[in-house]
Amino acid sequence: MSKKPSVILQCEDISVSFDGYKAIQGMNLTLERGELRFLIGPNGAGKTTMLDVICGKTRSTSGSVIYNSSDGPVDVTKKKEHQIAGLGIGRKFQAPSIFPTLTVFENLEIAMRQRRSVFATLFARLTAEDRERVEQQLVMIGLQDKAPWRAGGLSHGEKQWLEIGIMLMQEPSVLLLDEPVAGMTDKETDKTGELLKEIAKLRTIVVVEHDMEFVRNFASKVTVMHEGKLLKEGAMDEIQSDDRVAEVYLGKRRNADASRSTA
Amino acid sequence: MTQTWSRARIWALIGYAVAAAAMFAAPLYLSDFRLNLLAKFLAFAIVALGLDLIWGYTGILSLGHGVFFGLGGYAMAMHLKLQASGGRMPDFMDWSGLTALPAFWKPFESLGFAFLAGLLIPGVLALILGYVTFRNRIRGVYFTILTQALVIIATTLLIGQQAYTGGTNGITGYSKIAGQSISSPDTKQMLYWVTAIFLVVAFVLCRFLVKSRFGKVLRAIRDGENRVRFIGYNPALYQMTAFAISGVLAGLAGMLFVLHVGIISPSMLGIVPSIEMVLWVAIGGRGTLIGAVLGAVLMNGAKSEISAQYPDAWTFIMGALFIVVVVFLPGGVTGLVERLKFRKRSVSEHEQEAVRHPAV
């Protein structure tokens, strides 16, 4: 077995501008294998854009994202979205994006790690092993009773879990989650927290989050962004006692909360 | 639960068996005239299946299937015309001042070549169009407009190149197919069965496609093309494949159409016929194969009945039907049946929402 580098993802000097507006300016982010990292910051700090760059949704203007895949290091800024997903970087969007007219089971079936070519899917059979994998996933996300439902009929929280399930079925090494608890009830938020802790045992996760209560539940490293730049990185206690963070982030929390409630 | 489901399945199978039996036995109870009409409708049903695959299942609206249909039709017409000309140059070429048969016409003397060309030319054209559009993420309304442009290009070329294509009149005046007189009742009956068999083959093929994992990915693309990308599929390849298969089916339908109708001309593959094809699918019910077939057969049946009695009324009726379907029955006739079934099982609002708003 080859020795795996302890760093799984290294974003160096990432800049993104949209028609002159600089959403991200020289951002660095390094993730260790198996880490659970929270990315926080006020609205417009560039958190979601950062995830977009990593998963290929947005092209960075400059900088590189080196991903240490099982086949060696790759600069994913040069790859297409489906290739990045195939390399093992999964993404969950803020608004639950599932396939509403497929059943819950089918949603997971097509997401399953498998060959993605047209030919392969034409003749793919659902083997007993496949079925078992999907069923295990259903149990993990708590939707085992809803397998034959059309996904469009699920509640908001259930859709979020299904999307996490869709992502996990790909067996990614890195998961990028954008506000996984937005719009959830307290009970659903707790359940999602448990789910995240479970997943984090095996994989590297980056979570963009507004809900500070939720972040406090996890003893993990937090990265604070502000105006497209890295402001502070460290444990939650350090972050909370930092004056600059308090100024830019906590001072603006009221706005952030207001926008979240309307989201 | 499983028991009722399997009972539903048995009923569905009985339904299909009865429909197939009725279709194959049609020569026993229909007059020659009506049999010929039905044969034409069955050919249309094959285009409808292809359109349903790309529109109903993949969410891509093509208003250009007349072109694929027409290419198939012209391929067969060229063969039939050469047969009728008995080794000489077709009459319309003479009138346009050509002195020798153009080289690209020559291979069409073989029925086998004409048949393959009628399938492959539309398929390859669809593949090329799909390649340049889907790969560049041209979709939605923009794609639909492009398909309309394709129709205009095709009809303009066909009309303009009169010496090679027969121009506005198209290609007509056939006599024989595979050595048999094309107008004899026996041949017509045989051609009807050939069409029915091809419809069954097309239906089974489409059913295999939509039930496979490939079909699930197509529906996933309809639901959220971007999401599909982020789970590692390249949607462009899937869209191209579905579009090409759809083009091949339209070409097949065009060939069968020419056999029954005895003429192909640019007006049969223009803007209006291309849109009509989509209406059959919309009214029958997109996203269900049987809906597409029923839509094509019933709409055309109604068209010939109503046009016979009130020649001017059909266009208005069709327009009104379309509006009714768009506003009240987004899933078409089969969608209505589904909704009634769902109502019994009291399914959530979301589900109906999904039926109401499939991607265009």
Side-chain angles (χ1 to χ4, degrees):
Chain A
M1 241 182 84
S2 64
K3 198 172 143 261
K4 288 180 179 172
S6 69
V7 170
I8 188 153
L9 195 76
Q10 185 154 25
C11 308
E12 260 181 61
D13 202 22
I14 297 290
S15 294
V16 175
S17 60
F18 298 117
D19 295 325
Y21 168 71
K22 288 185 173 138
I24 300 183
Q25 310 174 40
M27 176 73 186
N28 294 310
L29 182 70
T30 302
L31 295 171
E32 300 281 326
R33 208 172 279 275
E35 184 179 5
L36 171 59
R37 176 74 64 92
F38 284 93
L39 198 54
I40 66 171
N43 283 337
K47 309 178 295 287
T48 299
T49 311
M50 197 62 201
L51 295 193
D52 287 348
V53 167
I54 300 172
C55 74
K57 187 172 183 238
T58 301
R59 296 270 149 206
S60 61
T61 327
S62 65
S64 64
V65 178
I66 304 298
Y67 167 63
N68 284 311
S69 72
S70 47
D71 305 325
V74 193
D75 184 356
V76 299
T77 58
K78 307 277 189 291
K79 299 278 179 189
K80 292 210 172 93
E81 297 98 316
H82 69 272
Q83 293 169 323
I84 297 173
L87 282 166
I89 298 180
R91 170 74 190 268
K92 190 204 158 300
F93 293 90
Q94 185 175 356
S97 59
I98 44 136
F99 306 114
T101 63
L102 299 189
T103 65
V104 170
F105 192 96
E106 288 169 335
N107 266 272
L108 296 175
E109 180 190 338
I110 63 164
M112 184 163 53
R113 191 186 175 99
Q114 59 187 305
R115 289 176 52 225
R116 286 329 202 213
S117 71
V118 169
F119 194 77
T121 53
L122 265 178
F123 299 102
R125 286 270 154 273
L126 189 69
T127 62
E129 272 169 66
D130 292 346
R131 182 170 288 279
E132 188 144 323
R133 268 162 79 191
V134 173
E135 271 158 12
Q136 278 173 358
Q137 194 63 63
L138 282 167
V139 172
M140 188 173 183
I141 58 176
L143 294 178
Q144 62 271 42
D145 298 334
K146 301 200 166 156
W149 281 44
R150 287 214 196 179
L154 298 176
S155 73
H156 178 78
E158 289 168 333
K159 283 180 186 163
Q160 298 276 34
W161 296 326
L162 177 59
E163 197 184 356
I164 292 174
I166 286 174
M167 212 176 46
L168 290 173
M169 286 306 287
Q170 303 166 59
E171 299 173 25
S173 309
V174 177
L175 277 81
L176 310 169
L177 308 179
D178 200 350
E179 298 201 37
V181 296
M184 281 194 175
T185 62
D186 288 347
K187 212 174 135 197
E188 289 171 334
T189 303
D190 290 344
K191 198 174 158 188
T192 308
E194 293 305 313
L195 188 58
L196 275 190
K197 281 177 183 162
E198 187 67 33
I199 301 163
K201 289 175 187 164
L202 297 165
R203 303 171 201 282
T204 313
I205 309 185
V206 184
V207 187
V208 164
E209 194 46 78
H210 267 305
D211 188 333
M212 299 303 284
E213 283 302 318
F214 183 72
V215 177
R216 250 176 240 123
N217 281 324
F218 298 84
S220 70
K221 206 167 167 185
V222 176
T223 299
V224 187
M225 285 182 76
H226 177 53
E227 293 178 346
K229 290 180 195 141
L230 177 68
L231 186 71
K232 173 86 185 161
E233 207 161 72
M236 194 60 190
D237 316 342
E238 289 175 53
I239 298 292
Q240 278 175 312
S241 57
D242 189 278
D243 289 343
R244 284 184 308 157
V245 174
E247 190 187 323
V248 305
Y249 187 72
L250 301 176
K252 288 185 182 175
R253 246 191 95 186
R254 194 180 293 270
N255 297 341
D257 282 346
S259 74
R260 184 155 55 88
S261 61
T262 57
Chain B
M1 180 72 194
T2 39
Q3 210 173 3
T4 52
W5 194 79
S6 66
R7 189 180 295 164
R9 189 167 208 189
I10 289 165
W11 278 114
L13 280 174
I14 291 172
Y16 282 128
V18 169
M23 181 170 76
F24 281 101
L28 299 178
Y29 58 84
L30 285 185
S31 68
D32 287 350
F33 171 72
R34 291 203 178 271
L35 188 69
N36 191 39
L37 279 181
L38 183 60
K40 186 172 83 174
F41 303 162
L42 296 185
F44 286 150
I46 297 176
V47 199
L49 281 173
L51 263 175
D52 198 20
L53 197 63
I54 191 72
W55 185 40
Y57 287 89
T58 322
I60 295 162
L61 177 59
S62 163
L63 292 180
H65 264 52
V67 172
F68 306 124
F69 179 83
L71 284 170
Y74 269 91
M76 185 53 74
M78 283 161 78
H79 170 73
L80 294 174
K81 190 70 186 172
L82 287 176
Q83 291 291 303
S85 310
R88 298 187 41 243
M89 209 169 57
D91 44 14
F92 67 85
M93 292 185 180
D94 233 352
W95 307 332
S96 309
L98 286 192
T99 51
L101 190 67
F104 75 92
W105 269 75
K106 285 201 177 99
F108 284 90
E109 293 206 356
S110 144
L111 178 60
F113 178 89
F115 182 73
L116 280 181
L119 296 178
L120 293 181
I121 294 173
V124 170
L125 179 69
L127 203 61
I128 294 170
L129 184 70
Y131 180 78
V132 294
T133 51
F134 302 135
R135 208 178 52 114
N136 294 312
R137 300 190 190 173
I138 294 168
R139 58 192 155 214
V141 166
Y142 301 99
F143 178 82
T144 306
I145 292 170
L146 270 176
T147 58
Q148 284 268 281
L150 182 72
V151 175
I152 294 172
I153 294 168
T155 47
T156 310
L157 271 176
L158 286 170
I159 294 170
Q161 301 298 314
Q162 188 163 356
Y164 303 101
T165 62
T168 320
N169 301 325
I171 301 176
T172 188
Y174 318 133
S175 58
K176 281 187 292 187
I177 168 90
Q180 306 294 313
S181 159
I182 201 163
S183 49
S184 83
D186 282 352
T187 317
K188 287 211 162 286
Q189 208 173 82
M190 190 53 76
L191 289 175
Y192 170 84
W193 276 321
V194 167
T195 307
I197 289 168
F198 273 120
L199 177 59
V200 170
V201 169
F203 189 88
V204 171
L205 171 78
C206 287
R207 198 171 160 81
F208 165 74
L209 291 173
V210 302
K211 292 284 172 192
S212 70
R213 201 169 285 164
F214 170 82
K216 288 170 192 165
V217 176
L218 291 186
R219 283 191 287 144
I221 291 171
R222 179 186 68 188
D223 283 359
E225 189 182 327
N226 270 321
R227 193 74 194 92
V228 170
R229 225 170 245 133
F230 291 109
I231 59 173
Y233 292 97
N234 183 359
L237 293 177
Y238 283 81
Q239 291 162 324
M240 274 162 59
T241 308
F243 195 51
I245 294 171
S246 181
V248 168
L249 288 174
L252 173 63
M255 287 193 275
L256 296 167
F257 171 86
V258 166
L259 291 174
H260 303 304
V261 179
I263 180 171
I264 186 85
S265 75
S267 66
M268 292 164 182
L269 53 104
I271 300 255
V272 174
S274 295
I275 294 175
E276 259 190 273
M277 291 169 186
V278 169
L279 292 190
W280 306 334
V281 180
I283 290 168
R286 62 182 143 157
T288 58
L289 296 174
I290 195 71
V293 171
L294 288 178
V297 173
L298 297 180
M299 282 289 285
N300 282 293
K303 181 183 181 177
S304 65
E305 286 302 312
I306 293 168
S307 309
Q309 306 214 3
Y310 314 96
D312 300 324
W314 178 247
T315 327
F316 293 104
I317 294 173
M318 192 170 65
L321 262 177
F322 187 55
I323 293 170
V324 168
V325 166
V326 166
V327 176
F328 300 107
L329 300 172
V333 175
T334 46
L336 178 69
V337 176
E338 287 286 306
R339 250 158 75 169
L340 293 176
K341 270 201 293 193
F342 278 141
R343 189 144 302 161
K344 266 194 224 160
R345 282 193 276 153
S346 77
V347 152
S348 71
E349 283 288 301
H350 292 284
E351 185 135 19
Q352 294 187 12
E353 202 61 18
V355 176
R356 198 169 296 139
H357 298 295
V360 169

